[in-house]
Amino acid sequence: MKIGIVCYPTFGGSGVVATELGKALADQGHQIHFITYEQPTRLVDLFNENIFYHKVDIRSYPLFEYAPYELALASKMVNVVKYESLDLLHVHYAIPHASAAFMAREILRSQGVFVPFVTTLHGTDITLVGKDETYEPVVTFSINQSNGVTAVSESLKNDTYAQFRVNKEIDVIPNFIDLNRFKKQKKEHFKTAICPNGERLIVHTSNFRKVKRIDDVIKVFCRLRKLIPAKLLLVGDGPERRRIEALCQELDIHEDVRFLGKLELIEEVLSVADVFLMPSEKESFGLAALEAMACEVPVISSNTGGLPELNIHGVTGFLSNVGDIDDMVRNTLVVLDEANLPRFKENALARAREFDVDHIRPMYERVYERVLAQHRTEALAH
Ligand code: GMT
């Protein structure tokens, strides 16, 4: 198949999922065309004969306070579909990709070209941004207009039906992991450098947005380090980073906390972690937790959204109510207990294996085939 993939090119979860899916599909012989405003961060494989990248050019004009990205994107989709003879478009994150895809599909239809689009809902496009009245009518319309809709967890599917008047069937296709890349590596020298006295290493990675509740990471860590020797690594960057750094100085814990910024080789850090913290307010899946689990790191998380579908309470880590710091501290101590840690690590890896890309990729291929078959029938009837 020739597939156009539209996503955010950033470090964020939906961009990572879209890029990794494209790479996995290209390995199966599909021709993949990424259409976005910058080369996706995880797309390092441009010499692959099946992978192409098309940059969306955004023309500015003094009249525009905000250049209309959605129009530039729709126009680029029209161009790529026509000149590369794409069979299908797959857009990740509804805003504004689904409405741009709708526009592209209808423009192409008016020119006698029929190409369906699949929308994958990732989380905040539904649970936070999408339901705001600023966007809701467009999000509802473009989901209903999609030829196929997928969501990354049952919880996100339920949220979509609860919060939008959506009448489309939604296929749940969980996020996935490349176990050849995400696996525990021997990085003992790294561990010794950060934890010279054998301290426990706590890791959190995120885009440092409010929804991640990084204050809770700090609160849990503050309590822990009074009970056991521990260090904290914070990976990633975003709007909250500066404030959290100042908070660590204020609390006088900065010597035990390191901010590593955005990292390409996150698996190297995860390889030396003892526990992963994800106390998020909302989390439709929790891809960062899956990456940790694949590196044999148990997860202490909130029980919000899709996290209970990934992190099994008492098996791969623990779940707590959002903001329940006492419970998170208690649970972390249970996981870090010498008598328990090996079992939690083993279970985390076993659970991650269930999300192997080779199990999940065919689920997308089946949706593509179904959508193409339906669309062919509709096009013939036209
Ligand atoms: O806001 C974010 O956390 C990024 C966001 C995205 O779309 O890039 O992440 C969402 O999609 C990820 C991939 O499907 C999921 O693993 C995350 O749970 C989800 N984030 C939220 O729901 C907050």
Side-chain angles (χ1 to χ4, degrees), residues 347-359:
N347 293 346
L349 175 60
R351 180 72 178 144
R353 286 199 175 119
E354 295 174 34
F355 297 87
D356 184 348
V357 61
D358 290 333
H359 298 158

Side-chain angles (χ1 to χ4, degrees), residues 8 10-17 93 120-125 127-128 152 156 175 206-207 209 211-212 278 280-288 306-307:
Y8 283 105
T10 52
F11 272 86
S14 63
V16 168
V17 171
Y93 204 89
T120 290
L121 308 172
H122 278 275
T124 47
D125 46 354
T127 56
L128 214 62
V152 298
L156 185 59
N175 287 335
S206 77
N207 49 25
R209 295 197 199 131
V211 72
K212 302 292 175 184
M278 185 175 257
S280 306
E281 181 88 35
K282 290 181 190 301
E283 203 67 66
S284 66
F285 181 86
L287 183 62
L307 281 171

Side-chain angles (χ1 to χ4, degrees), residues 31-77:
Q31 199 180 87
I32 303 301
H33 294 259
F34 287 97
I35 307 171
T36 181
Y37 60 85
E38 238 171 48
Q39 194 175 312
T41 31
R42 286 263 181 113
L43 189 60
V44 280
D45 199 13
L46 271 178
F47 292 116
N48 185 318
E49 58 181 356
N50 286 331
I51 295 183
F52 301 83
Y53 162 60
H54 306 269
K55 183 176 168 68
V56 179
D57 290 310
I58 311 160
R59 246 338 121 70
S60 198
Y61 183 69
L63 184 66
F64 302 152
E65 193 171 340
Y66 307 102
Y69 176 65
E70 196 174 343
L71 302 190
L73 174 62
S75 300
K76 193 70 184 181
M77 283 194 242

Side-chain angles (χ1 to χ4, degrees), residues 151-219:
V152 298
S153 61
E154 282 294 335
S155 148
L156 185 59
K157 172 181 168 173
N158 296 337
D159 282 346
T160 309
Y161 285 131
Q163 290 166 21
F164 298 82
R165 266 186 287 161
V166 162
N167 50 34
K168 287 297 285 191
E169 184 59 39
I170 299 177
D171 289 282
V172 173
I173 304 185
N175 287 335
F176 52 84
I177 189 94
D178 176 358
L179 292 163
N180 293 319
R181 174 180 164 183
F182 283 90
K183 58 181 171 206
K184 193 174 171 67
Q185 302 172 9
K186 283 198 182 312
K187 295 282 166 194
E188 296 318 321
H189 57 289
F190 185 38
K191 177 82 174 248
T192 320
I194 306 165
C195 303
N197 303 310
E199 294 91 340
R200 292 299 198 190
L201 186 59
I202 320 296
V203 172
H204 168 82
T205 72
S206 77
N207 49 25
F208 279 65
R209 295 197 199 131
K210 269 215 157 354
V211 72
K212 302 292 175 184
R213 292 182 71 97
I214 302 168
D215 294 74
D216 287 3
V217 172
I218 303 298
K219 284 181 195 162

Side-chain angles (χ1 to χ4, degrees), residues 140-360:
T140 306
F141 176 80
S142 48
I143 292 174
N144 282 329
Q145 286 294 327
S146 304
N147 300 87
V149 183
T150 75
V152 298
S153 61
E154 282 294 335
S155 148
L156 185 59
K157 172 181 168 173
N158 296 337
D159 282 346
T160 309
Y161 285 131
Q163 290 166 21
F164 298 82
R165 266 186 287 161
V166 162
N167 50 34
K168 287 297 285 191
E169 184 59 39
I170 299 177
D171 289 282
V172 173
I173 304 185
N175 287 335
F176 52 84
I177 189 94
D178 176 358
L179 292 163
N180 293 319
R181 174 180 164 183
F182 283 90
K183 58 181 171 206
K184 193 174 171 67
Q185 302 172 9
K186 283 198 182 312
K187 295 282 166 194
E188 296 318 321
H189 57 289
F190 185 38
K191 177 82 174 248
T192 320
I194 306 165
C195 303
N197 303 310
E199 294 91 340
R200 292 299 198 190
L201 186 59
I202 320 296
V203 172
H204 168 82
T205 72
S206 77
N207 49 25
F208 279 65
R209 295 197 199 131
K210 269 215 157 354
V211 72
K212 302 292 175 184
R213 292 182 71 97
I214 302 168
D215 294 74
D216 287 3
V217 172
I218 303 298
K219 284 181 195 162
V220 170
F221 180 69
C222 267
R223 298 268 299 277
L224 270 178
R225 74 190 271 285
K226 287 186 187 143
L227 302 168
I228 53 165
K231 299 276 184 184
L232 173 65
L233 280 187
L234 293 168
V235 185
D237 204 350
E240 290 280 281
R241 206 249 313 134
R242 205 185 260 266
R243 193 180 63 75
I244 296 294
E245 230 170 323
L247 178 68
C248 290
Q249 288 173 351
E250 218 174 276
L251 294 170
D252 201 22
I253 58 168
H254 56 283
E255 282 189 2
D256 289 333
V257 184
R258 284 204 198 191
F259 289 79
L260 297 188
K262 288 181 183 172
L263 276 188
E264 289 288 348
L265 298 174
I266 179 73
E267 62 275 23
E268 294 190 354
V269 171
L270 292 172
S271 291
V272 296
D274 292 305
V275 126
F276 187 84
L277 288 184
M278 185 175 257
S280 306
E281 181 88 35
K282 290 181 190 301
E283 203 67 66
S284 66
F285 181 86
L287 183 62
L290 174 57
E291 292 179 343
M293 287 159 74
C295 295
E296 301 176 35
V297 187
V299 173
I300 297 296
S301 72
S302 62
N303 56 9
T304 189
L307 281 171
E309 295 170 50
L310 172 67
N311 186 18
I312 310 300
H313 190 69
V315 177
T316 60
F318 285 98
L319 300 153
S320 307
N321 289 333
V322 173
D324 192 342
I325 308 297
D326 287 349
D327 199 45
M328 289 182 197
V329 172
R330 258 194 314 272
N331 291 338
T332 309
L333 290 170
V334 173
V335 167
L336 289 177
D337 189 315
E338 206 62 70
N340 300 331
L341 193 55
R343 174 173 53 90
F344 277 103
K345 280 173 177 275
E346 229 170 79
N347 293 346
L349 175 60
R351 180 72 178 144
R353 286 199 175 119
E354 295 174 34
F355 297 87
D356 184 348
V357 61
D358 290 333
H359 298 158
I360 310 296

